[in-house]
């Protein structure tokens, strides 16, 4: 559903005249789509204790009075108990808490009401039908409340996205991140960049439009150049971090790999608490890559079970091995599983040499893959032997059968995943590939700026860069540029 | 920039005569006793002349109503046309066969393209214009336009009838009432009253109506518009004092010489009327702290600056420059007013101080120590109609077939006025013939940017064009205005002459042919380097390179290229404009690049 919401928001952002701000019209003309008063069930569908129905628009007060007749409007922003009845038949519907939020101090900026009714389907549909019978009211389209809030300047584009994330946060960490974004932390960061960029662009534009018959100060272009360079550095640093936020949304890719019959599928089933993979004592049971989304220590992860890595098998299993190797290359985190009782076998040694050791050593480009080495079947080891393999890289002992060592593994997973996804409470993260796309687009355009010899082309590159940022922050019209030009320079005749 | 039509002494003079009997000029179709026209244009300024001529070109029997025929084509403010953004507008007006570019090619005395080093998209064609010549040439043009009648008279009121149900609007205009009580019927009416609606002139603490004895008609018209429910706003602007030429010490000032060769404004002209060596120079001087002092000490004598009427964010007057950017030196350009004029126009010195203080201020500027002020600068405040009340065709939402163009819509500048005039004239004519409106979008031209900004955002300062307003600046270049607009103007509006249409078609096909020719010529880079040693082509690697790619090098132009490969490229250098446009197109051409 957030996709639909997002489409609406982005459509609102683009709008028919989105390149220019509408601040001057803002006070006089209502925002897009307003005029009508909308209503919707705001809590989840289905049976629940309390259901919340909201309205937004100029007829909200009228609607509230119609349903609670003949009572007056309750005091603003105070919950009051009222008997709701159908305005046509006078038939009582429910005894409910109602709230009255006169605009502009409301979620959408318009007059809003909330009806907290009992959650039975009959009550909810009765109230919705009663609202539909009030003149001037119509059911809201998906995301329309948020869209109106955005249109009235109550939410920035990033905040709207943050809200969408909040509604659909699947895990605790995502919820925290969405909450932070609702406060506009990422928005603040982007706004700061947009401000710098707008100023640099305004100075270049001023140089184009006024340098020949008005006198601009010396060094206008040099200053713009240095601002652009600084911005490039800041964006570059941020973008190198950016993939972490993306991982959080879709989940980190955790790939379970190892030689055949080490217990990979058992581990997957243990972590996902459900029988995802068929487990059998026969080597080569898993032949394809099996994926399952799981919540690992509060982080969303995509857990992949792979075919055991070995050579000299039939064509189907060989394809499985090929897929497993491909998946290993894409993994954010490898859970390498070995049979603790079978470490000397050629398959285990080969796996240690080709997968575990290289990953542990890291590679010069810095793209080292994270890897946790798990020695399974610890229950089969002789009792009292705490660490039988001191010469192996750091590893964890686990018994999928008894569950021994699982807590230690989860703790280690949490540490690795937190590092991968970033801790949402320590800073704004890019939750959407869209953000990354626009920031990268901005950075690319700034690169074009430096190369352009024709000043009009250079300015165009800055315009493109600013366009990308304003997709994240809103705004970005030419009037902002002119404001800066006339504030910073004495031009005009 | 200050551009009121007929103010100061000239207004006073013109309006005392406004009751003189109507005199008709030209008029090949309408007999005086059957006053019924397709289009009636009110006002003979830059918007009015373009509107009347455009409507007549489109085939409508048109009447231009003006207070005085001899003020038609008057440049009442700065003695120049064009500039960055404004030059773009002029090229587009010309592409629609408008007048001002052609008249400027016959009347300029100093032609210079601004921003030559910043890329062809932002080149600003500009010229100092001889006021007298401009007026003469414009009147000659207007009085000889077929289907166009000129009449002196002041409009008092509009005749309104029931609206056409298939269009929006509360009323429909069907004619005008003149000050002498006579009526003229019209299918469409274009209002280009400039700053005439309740205009007030301000010098120091003195304020008086711009039209003094003769402002009855404009007040009547303003009242009519207000009564109809138009939202009216108020703007202010100003003009600098004029200085006697022989009293200026030019020898100690920076001299600016015109371009050689001069680049004409109009697509149909290869050259301008005057040789570069016969053109007049401009001079540059600067303000100093003494000027700041005089302004700041005398703010109490300056009600124009104190008043709350919205002035622009940019700095039109020396007072606003000093107040907003203190302790700075500001440029003052000393511009000639005409070939045989003994006046100098100090661009950048617009001021509303009392006259004697203006003179004092002038004489503390370098080069002007002994300057004689011939006429003081002054401010003007006037009514404008909120342009959100008009559609992109410039027809008002409220009154069908009534069109607004020029300063009445809150713009400033001759070029902005002319651009709206052409569009209003075309649409007034199309409306009569029940044809769809002719609208230029923001992607097609600066005219589109101008009208879209006005009609959707409105304005609360005199709106002036800048290239930074255009989102599609790289493609809305002065050089290609004809390919953007001439064909549409010819086919959809009928406002373009056959001659111009053929010229634009020839240019289009020559460009296409030239580009494919340049693509077809290919040598190794080492050979290009020997052919054009001046170029920075690297001869290190021997790569095949098309002539088109060679032309992308900054230092290579068609002239150099044709010297290297005379056959078949020589013929493309015979027309300067074609050669220059091929160079621009090559630079813009994507694909295999030279670098």
């Amino acid at each position: 559903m957030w996709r639909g919401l997002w489409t609406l928001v982005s459509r609102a952002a683009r709008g028919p005249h989105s390149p220019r701000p509408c601040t001057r019209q803002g006070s006089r003309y209502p925002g897009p789509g307003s005029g009508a008063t909308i209503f919707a069930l705001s809590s989840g569908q289905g049976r629940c204790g309390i259901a919340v129905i909201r309205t937004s628009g100029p007829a909200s007060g009228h609607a509230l009075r119609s349903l609670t007749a003949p009572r007056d409007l309750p005091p603003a922003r105070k919950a009051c108990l009222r008997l709701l009845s159908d305005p046509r038949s006078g038939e009582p519907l429910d005894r409910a808490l109602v709230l009255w939020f006169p605009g502009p101090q409301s979620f959408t900026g318009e007059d809003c009401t909330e009806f907290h009714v009992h959650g039975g389907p009959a009550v909810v549909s009765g109230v919705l039908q009663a609202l539909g019978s009030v003149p001037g009211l119509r059911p809201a389209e998906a995301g329309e409340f948020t869209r109106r809030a955005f249109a009235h300047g109550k939410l920035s584009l990033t905040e709207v996205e943050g809200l969408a994330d909040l509604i659909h946060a699947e895990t605790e960490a995502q919820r925290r991140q969405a909450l932070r974004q609702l406060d506009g932390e990422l928005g603040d960061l982007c706004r700061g960049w947009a401000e710098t960029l707008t100023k640099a662009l305004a100075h270049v534009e001023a140089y184009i439009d006024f340098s020949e018959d008005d006198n601009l100060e010396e060094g206008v272009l040099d200053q713009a150049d240095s601002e652009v360079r600084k911005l490039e550095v800041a964006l570059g640093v941020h973008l190198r971090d950016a993939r972490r936020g993306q991982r959080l949304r879709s989940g980190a890719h955790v790939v379970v790999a190892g030689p055949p019959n080490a217990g990979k599928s058992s581990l997957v089933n243990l972590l996902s608490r459900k029988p995802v993979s068929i487990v059998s004592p026969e080597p080569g049971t898993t032949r394809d890559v099996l994926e399952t989304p799981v919540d690992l220590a509060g982080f969303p992860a995509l857990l992949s079970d792979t075919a055991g890595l070995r050579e000299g098998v039939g064509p189907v299993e060989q394809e499985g091995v090929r897929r497993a190797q491909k998946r290993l290359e894409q993994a954010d985190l490898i859970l390498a599983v070995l049979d603790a009782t079978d470490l000397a076998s050629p398959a285990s040694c080969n796996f240690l040499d080709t997968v575990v050791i290289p990953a542990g050593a890291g590679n010069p480009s810095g793209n080292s893959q994270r890897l946790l080495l798990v020695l399974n079947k610890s229950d089969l080891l002789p009792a009292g032997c705490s660490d039988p393999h001191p010469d192996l890289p750091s590893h964890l002992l686990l018994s999928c059968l008894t569950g021994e060592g699982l807590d230690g593994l989860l703790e280690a997973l949490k540490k690795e995943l937190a590092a991968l996804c970033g801790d949402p409470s320590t800073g704004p993260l890019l939750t959407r590939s869209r953000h990354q796309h626009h920031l990268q687009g901005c950075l690319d355009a700034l690169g074009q700026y430096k190369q352009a010899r024709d000043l009009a082309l250079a300015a165009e590159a800055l315009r493109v860069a600013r366009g990308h940022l304003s997709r994240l922050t809103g705004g970005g019209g030419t009037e902002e540029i002119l404001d800066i030009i006339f504030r910073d320079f004495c031009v005009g005749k | 920039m200050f551009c009121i039509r007929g103010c100061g002494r000239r207004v006073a003079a013109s309006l005392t005569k406004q009751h003189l009997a109507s005199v008709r000029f030209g008029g090949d179709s309408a007999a005086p006793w059957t006053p019924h026209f397709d289009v009636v244009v009110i006002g003979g300024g830059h918007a009015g002349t373009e509107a009347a001529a455009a409507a007549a070109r489109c085939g409508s029997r048109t009447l231009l109503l003006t207070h005085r025929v001899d003020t038609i084509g008057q440049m009442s403010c700065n003695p120049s046309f064009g500039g960055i953004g404004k030059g773009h507008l002029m090229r587009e007006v010309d592409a629609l066969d408008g007048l001002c570019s052609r008249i400027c090619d016959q009347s300029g005395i100093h032609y210079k393209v601004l921003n030559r080093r910043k890329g062809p998209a932002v080149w600003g064609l500009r010229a100092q214009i001889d006021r007298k010549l401009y007026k003469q040439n414009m009147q000659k043009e207007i009085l000889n336009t077929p289907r166009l009648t000129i009449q002196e008279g002041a409009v008092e009121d509009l005749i309104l009838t029931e609206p056409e149900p298939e269009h929006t609007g509360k009323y429909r205009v069907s004619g005008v009432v003149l000050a002498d009580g006579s009526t003229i019927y019209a299918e469409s009416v274009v209002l280009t009253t400039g700053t005439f609606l309740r205009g007030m002139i301000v010098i120091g603490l003195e304020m008086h109506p711009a039209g003094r004895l003769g402002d009855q008609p404009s007040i009547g018209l303003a009242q009519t518009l207000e009564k109809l429910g138009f939202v009216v706003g108020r703007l202010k602007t100003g003009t600098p004092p004029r200085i006697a030429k022989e009293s200026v010490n030019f020898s100690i000032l920076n001299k600016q010489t015109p371009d050689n060769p001069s680049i004409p404004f109009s697509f149909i002209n290869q050259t301008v009327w005057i040789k570069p060596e016969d053109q007049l120079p401009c001079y540059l001087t600067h303000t100093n702290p003494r000027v700041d002092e005089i302004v700041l000490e005398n703010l109490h004598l300056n009600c124009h600056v104190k008043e709350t009427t919205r002035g622009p964010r940019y700095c039109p007057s020396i007072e606003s420059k000093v107040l907003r950017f203190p302790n700075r030196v500001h440029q003052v350009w000393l511009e000639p007013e005409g070939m045989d004029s003994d006046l100098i126009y100090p661009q950048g010195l617009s001021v509303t101080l009392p006259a004697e203080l203006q003179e004092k201020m002038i004489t503390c500027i370098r080069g002007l120590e002994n300057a004689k002020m011939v006429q003081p600068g002054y401010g003007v405040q006037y009514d404008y109609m909120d342009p959100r009340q008009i559609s992109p065709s410039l027809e008002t939402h409220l009154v069908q077939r009534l069109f607004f163009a020029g300063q009445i819509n809150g713009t400033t500048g001759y070029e902005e006025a002319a651009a709206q005039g052409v569009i209003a004239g075309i649409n007034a004519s199309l409306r009569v013939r029940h044809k769809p409106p002719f609208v230029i979008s923001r992607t097609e031209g600066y005219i589109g940017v101008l009208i879209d900004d006005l009609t959707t955002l409105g304005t609360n300062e005199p709106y002036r064009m800048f290239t930074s307003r255009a989102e599609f600046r790289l493609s809305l270049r002065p050089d290609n205005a004809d390919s953007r607009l001439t064909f549409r103007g010819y086919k959809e509006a009928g406002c373009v002459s056959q001659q111009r249409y053929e010229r634009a078609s020839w240019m289009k096909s020559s460009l296409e042919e030239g580009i494919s020719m340049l693509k077809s010529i290919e040598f190794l880079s080492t050979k290009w380097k020997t052919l054009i040693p001046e170029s920075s082509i690297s001869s290190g690697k021997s790569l095949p390179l098309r002539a088109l790619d060679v032309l992308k090098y900054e230092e290579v132009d068609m002239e150099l290229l044709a010297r290297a490969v005379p056959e078949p490229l020589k013929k493309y250098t015979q027309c300067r404009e074609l050669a220059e446009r091929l160079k621009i197109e090559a630079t813009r051409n994507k694909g295999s690049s030279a670098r």
Side-chain angles (χ1 to χ4, degrees), chain A residues 20 24-25 205 207-209 211-213 215 217 453-454 459 463 479 483 486 489 491-493, chain B residues 1 84 115 118 313 315 324-325 328-329 331 452 456 458 466-468 470 473-474 554 588 595:
Chain A
R20 284 155 300 124
R24 257 187 277 151
Q25 289 182 308
E205 296 280 359
Y207 192 78
I208 288 175
D209 273 339
S211 69
E212 296 220 353
D213 48 359
N215 50 337
E217 296 83 80
R453 296 169 99 182
D454 171 333
R463 287 175 170 200
E479 283 298 313
D483 278 339
F486 298 129
F489 303 109
V491 291
K493 309 160 278 197
Chain B
M1 193 162 301
I84 301 156
N115 269 353
K118 294 181 199 156
R313 284 171 297 181
C315 298
R324 286 169 50 192
F325 295 90
R328 288 228 206 136
V329 162
Q331 282 185 334
D452 187 56
T456 60
F466 310 110
T467 70
S468 45
R473 180 165 64 193
L474 289 184
E554 211 179 350
R588 292 288 174 271
R595 264 155 273 201

Side-chain angles (χ1 to χ4, degrees), chain B residues 388-425:
Chain B
R388 284 174 293 191
Q389 302 169 97
I390 54 177
S391 69
S393 71
L394 301 184
E395 183 173 357
T396 66
H397 295 314
L398 212 52
V399 182
Q400 296 174 356
R401 300 178 177 233
L402 178 64
F403 295 77
F404 290 163
Q407 274 174 302
I408 190 172
N409 289 333
T411 62
T412 179
Y414 305 150
E415 305 80 359
E416 286 82 353
Q420 293 170 69
V422 170
I423 298 300

Side-chain angles (χ1 to χ4, degrees), chain B residues 160-237:
Chain B
L160 298 173
T161 48
E162 284 296 304
E164 299 161 278
E166 67 272 24
H167 291 277
T168 53
K170 274 161 101 173
Y171 316 95
R172 170 187 167 175
V173 69
S174 58
V176 296
V177 181
L178 299 189
D180 62 7
S182 62
T183 56
I184 297 169
Y185 289 102
E187 297 296 313
S188 289
V189 173
V190 183
L191 218 52
T192 68
T193 48
T195 60
F196 216 72
L197 297 175
R198 298 202 188 103
M200 294 287 279
I201 286 181
V202 189
I203 306 180
L205 295 175
E206 282 175 51
M207 285 180 86
H208 46 87
R212 229 173 321 216
L213 291 173
D215 59 359
Q216 233 75 352
S218 291
I219 285 188
L221 202 53
Q223 281 168 349
T224 301
L225 294 174
E226 212 158 32
K227 248 187 284 168
L228 286 172
F230 283 104
V231 177
V232 180
R234 202 145 171 89
L235 292 174
K236 66 177 180 184
T237 182

Side-chain angles (χ1 to χ4, degrees), chain A residues 68-295:
Chain A
T68 58
R71 304 284 291 270
D72 287 328
L73 285 174
R77 292 175 293 282
K78 290 247 161 56
C80 295
L81 192 64
R82 290 279 192 277
L83 178 70
L84 301 185
S85 49
D86 192 315
R88 292 163 300 182
S89 60
E91 189 188 341
L93 294 167
D94 194 10
R95 189 170 286 277
L97 281 180
V98 297
L99 286 117
W100 164 236
F101 302 96
Q105 287 166 295
S106 68
F107 169 63
T108 59
E110 302 175 325
D111 289 352
C112 288
T113 58
E114 278 183 21
F115 299 87
H116 296 224
V117 302
H118 291 99
V123 175
V124 171
S125 79
V127 174
L128 288 176
Q129 278 177 22
L131 282 172
S133 73
V134 177
L137 265 73
R138 65 166 171 81
E141 288 161 23
E144 203 173 0
F145 281 91
T146 311
R147 185 183 166 181
R148 288 190 177 196
F150 174 68
H152 288 96
K154 289 280 173 177
L155 294 171
S156 76
L157 218 49
T158 32
E159 287 170 330
V160 171
E161 290 176 29
L163 187 73
D165 272 355
L166 177 66
I167 292 167
H168 299 281
E170 287 168 14
T171 68
E172 185 66 11
Q174 272 182 328
R175 188 188 63 78
R176 272 189 290 159
Q177 181 168 30
L179 273 174
R180 295 187 64 79
Q181 214 181 57
L182 196 60
D183 280 340
E185 197 169 331
L186 177 59
D188 281 348
L189 199 54
C190 289
R191 271 191 290 278
W193 292 329
E195 216 170 275
T196 308
L197 186 53
T198 303
K199 188 166 173 180
L201 174 59
H203 286 202
V204 173
E205 296 280 359
Y207 192 78
I208 288 175
D209 273 339
F210 301 104
S211 69
E212 296 220 353
D213 48 359
D214 288 281
N215 50 337
L216 299 185
E217 296 83 80
E218 301 279 310
V220 168
L221 283 185
D222 293 342
Q223 206 191 326
D225 285 352
S226 91
E227 291 290 330
V228 167
R229 266 196 302 275
K230 273 188 244 165
L231 193 61
E232 261 189 303
V233 172
L235 279 173
V237 167
H238 191 88
L239 271 171
R240 276 193 288 281
D241 278 356
R243 255 176 54 81
R244 292 192 296 179
Q246 239 182 310
R247 277 203 190 96
L248 183 59
R249 269 205 63 75
S250 51
H253 285 244
V254 179
V255 175
V256 181
N261 221 17
K264 298 178 293 298
S265 299
S266 300
L267 179 57
V268 166
N269 291 347
L270 184 68
L271 289 176
S272 57
R273 295 184 193 173
K274 60 183 175 188
V276 175
S277 306
I278 298 169
V279 177
S280 84
E282 195 182 28
T285 307
T286 306
R287 293 183 169 187
D288 207 338
V289 175
L290 292 174
E291 286 182 346
T292 178
V294 292
D295 180 335

Side-chain angles (χ1 to χ4, degrees), chain B residues 305-341:
Chain B
V305 176
K306 287 185 296 185
E307 289 266 326
T308 48
T309 307
R310 283 296 295 253
R313 284 171 297 181
Y314 50 87
C315 298
S317 68
I318 191 67
E319 290 98 327
S320 63
K321 290 179 193 191
V322 168
L323 285 173
R324 286 169 50 192
F325 295 90
N327 307 318
R328 288 228 206 136
V329 162
H330 304 282
Q331 282 185 334
V332 178
W333 284 100
L334 300 179
E335 302 177 348
E337 292 233 328
M339 224 36 176
D340 53 5
S341 164

Side-chain angles (χ1 to χ4, degrees), chain A residues 197 200-202 204-205 208 221 228 441-442 444-468 478 481, chain B residues 118-119 121-122 446 467-477 588 590:
Chain A
L197 186 53
L201 174 59
V204 173
E205 296 280 359
I208 288 175
L221 283 185
V228 167
C442 178
D444 293 347
L446 294 181
Q448 298 279 318
Y449 169 78
K450 283 192 303 189
Q451 286 167 10
R453 296 169 99 182
D454 171 333
L455 195 62
L457 290 175
E460 184 66 19
L462 287 192
R463 287 175 170 200
V464 170
R466 181 165 170 264
H468 279 294
T478 49
I481 299 279
Chain B
K118 294 181 199 156
V122 293
Y446 277 77
T467 70
S468 45
R469 295 190 191 272
E471 292 84 356
F472 305 93
R473 180 165 64 193
L474 289 184
S475 44
L476 307 184
R477 301 191 308 268
R588 292 288 174 271
K590 295 242 170 83

